[in-house]
Amino acid sequence: MPGRYYEEFEVGETIVHDKRRTVSEADNQRFCDLTMNQQPLHLDAAFAADTQFGERVVNGLYTMSLAVGLSIPETTDGTIVANLSYDGVEHPAPVFHGDTLRAESTVTDRRETSDGERGVVTMHVEAYRVEDGADTLVCEFDRTVLAEKRPGEQ
């Protein structure tokens, strides 16, 4: 189990996640279909060509979901009780088909639950478009989770 128990999160540490994902047109299409989001900016090449972006933009909720997924192996895989909230979501730059994304998480807060049996951990998650030179921030948000304590630590 690669995820971390509550005690293993340190406030201030940044976890750079190893996995990356190149976003395909099919990823965007399936996500829009599954969520019934038929926004033409995401799906209609002719419509999108006449916008400030000049091409279709990947659904922002897919970008956020992908950032969460990329972060799970090194944070909460097998050690989470529940996701409690996603706050302060921002999309400072668009994502296009063919962009490769990576993520990193910075632990911003942690506290035990009132019964002392688990812990609440908040991480600031950032997703970047991988580019030559400086990567571009495309999505950021705070993710708060309810994490298990290490067995025998309660």
Side-chain angles (χ1 to χ4, degrees), residues 70-84:
L70 292 171
S71 75
I72 287 173
E74 292 96 1
T75 59
T76 58
D77 191 7
T79 58
I80 190 172
V81 177
N83 282 304
L84 300 177

Side-chain angles (χ1 to χ4, degrees), residues 4 26-27 48 54 71-72 79-80 84-85 88-90 93 113 117 120 123 128 131 136 141 143 145-146 150:
R4 295 178 182 205
D27 294 333
S71 75
I72 287 173
T79 58
I80 190 172
L84 300 177
S85 68
V89 180
E90 294 186 22
T113 56
E117 293 184 12
V120 176
M123 295 167 273
Y128 293 89
E131 299 176 321
T136 300
F141 53 92
R143 176 183 177 219
V145 302
L146 182 60
R150 188 178 295 111

Side-chain angles (χ1 to χ4, degrees), residues 55-150:
E55 62 182 293
R56 290 168 290 174
V57 174
V58 171
N59 186 308
L61 291 175
Y62 174 76
T63 300
M64 180 182 160
S65 297
L66 180 57
V68 171
L70 292 171
S71 75
I72 287 173
E74 292 96 1
T75 59
T76 58
D77 191 7
T79 58
I80 190 172
V81 177
N83 282 304
L84 300 177
S85 68
Y86 299 96
D87 299 296
V89 180
E90 294 186 22
H91 300 275
V95 175
F96 302 104
H97 302 149
D99 286 349
T100 298
L101 302 185
R102 68 172 187 84
E104 53 188 59
S105 301
T106 301
V107 180
T108 58
D109 189 42
R110 71 173 212 152
R111 62 178 172 77
E112 285 189 344
T113 56
S114 58
D115 62 11
E117 293 184 12
R118 296 179 211 105
V120 176
V121 179
T122 301
M123 295 167 273
H124 184 73
V125 180
E126 296 177 328
Y128 293 89
R129 180 173 51 235
V130 177
E131 299 176 321
D132 291 334
D135 293 347
T136 300
L137 181 67
V138 296
C139 183
E140 63 181 319
F141 53 92
D142 293 322
R143 176 183 177 219
T144 301
V145 302
L146 182 60
E148 294 180 355
K149 283 188 156 184
R150 188 178 295 111

